[in-house]
Amino acid sequence: MNRKGKIAVIGGGGLRTPLLLYGLDQVRETLGVREVALFDPDRDRLNVVAALGEEILRQAKSDIRITRHAQLEDAITEADFIVISIRVGGMESRARDERLAIEHGLVGQETIPPAGLAMALRTIPVILRQAELIEELNPTAWIINFTNPVGIITQAITTRTSLRVIGVCDTPMELFHRIAQALDLHEGDIQCDYVGLNHLGWVSDVRVGGENVMARLLHDDRRLEKLYPTKLFPAEFIRRLGLIPSEYLFFFYARSRAFDMQMEAGTSRASELVELNDDLLATLRTAFVQGEKEKAVEVYRRYLRRRSCSYLKLEAEGRSAFHVSEGEGEDPFEAATGYHRIAIEVMTALVGSEPKRLVVDVSNRGSIADLEPTDVVEVPCLIDKNGVQPVAVGRLPEKVRGLVQSVKTYERLAIQAAVERDEGLARLALTVHPLVGQWALADRIISRMLEDNSLHLGYLTSERERVR
């Protein structure tokens, strides 16, 4: 790769961008980073986030330059890496999606249907337009996709462009880290086999020094309890499954509990985050106006800690994010896992000579025998300067095979519905998803989404309208 020293961030006004900037500074020599170009259509928010990022870099005595761009073309041109982390419709749309799901007796979660489908339908057209522009102006850049639903969005890009794209999520890395802690080891001391889709994956084996210790882990209740941020799965269930599910399987294996906790709390995660985010941005604006830059960084640090510590508490315990102490948890900048860590791991691997084994979202290419070659899967990959090679994992474990295949069918239909602007396909996608599974229910949900304009009214068209 002939590196220019520029990294672009589409969605640069996102509240995790400063954390990414901190991580990039730590590897600036390895990546040769000189400039991080931020693009976001929300100029006010972009200016606040960029100012915070500049102060974080100033405190780190970094020579990385942050540039702000009103035009996407200027941000992406000559970038070595393009990070895409957008939320079409903002957090308010996510909150509305989650409320609609709850009103229909389903769990409200941003990547799980029906909220996940609404997000995909809004996002795919936008991201494909951005991808077409990248294909025209900077076709050799590596695309690092954080945009949810990561698997669906990554598959939409890979199957409809020639771009080099890797979908990334910190969920597998976080689970590996917790497994290592449960075994009283460092993460580098273990190797985990992992298989599935984004937010639908399992650890199938754990090895320490070449020895498979999975059985020992599965039969130790004390260690199993340490694997998640809160009590998600009974130890006996994990043992019977013979696999360690990633935390998002909670919404499948304990969906009634998740729904009941949301009903008890009277809200969803997104509704809480809207308030947390608004409070943060207002506080940051005031701090910068008053010249209190160091205070702004501390406020941001507390926000990240509070957000991290409250994760899954509402759905699993009925605990509000506002009931989590700001002092809980580790320093988010120095955490061993997280948004910035997985991004940095992938980027540094792509410029390295020695292959690094990381779990990311890429085209299957035979890795999972039960899925199509073009399906995007979440599996271990060997990554270096020559690209990404998914590791062959064979057939899916029988106990999860049907679930993965049905969710992948839903994902394919969701992409097709978004690309073809087909309301009927959107209904079918919801119907085949195991958490919905009913045409009448899917019909009511999609109709309500259109009435509420949560899909941007007029975007989807019915067969009758297309015939006209």
Side-chain angles (χ1 to χ4, degrees), residues 164-184:
R164 304 190 297 179
V165 57
I166 299 174
V168 290
C169 176
D170 57 359
T171 298
M173 176 184 281
E174 175 67 21
L175 182 54
F176 302 161
H177 178 67
R178 289 180 177 274
I179 289 173
Q181 287 185 321
L183 293 170
D184 301 316

Side-chain angles (χ1 to χ4, degrees), residues 96 243 304 400:
R96 181 174 53 196
L243 304 164
L304 290 174
V400 303

Side-chain angles (χ1 to χ4, degrees), residues 22-35:
Y22 177 83
L24 288 172
D25 178 61
Q26 294 182 313
V27 294
R28 64 184 182 277
E29 293 184 4
T30 301
L31 295 178
V33 186
R34 297 192 299 274
E35 175 190 356

Side-chain angles (χ1 to χ4, degrees), residues 215-228:
R216 188 198 334 159
L217 181 58
L218 290 176
H219 287 85
D220 190 326
D221 287 12
R222 182 182 63 84
R223 296 186 192 277
L224 289 178
E225 288 177 358
K226 296 181 178 181
L227 299 184
Y228 304 100

Side-chain angles (χ1 to χ4, degrees), residues 419-453:
V419 171
E420 298 181 11
R421 304 188 176 195
D422 191 319
E423 180 184 328
L425 282 174
R427 285 175 164 83
L428 182 60
L430 268 189
T431 303
V432 303
H433 195 281
L435 295 185
V436 181
Q438 303 174 72
W439 174 264
L441 178 57
D443 183 66
R444 290 197 299 273
I445 291 170
I446 295 295
S447 296
R448 175 68 180 281
M449 286 178 182
L450 291 169
E451 289 171 6
D452 291 353
N453 197 25

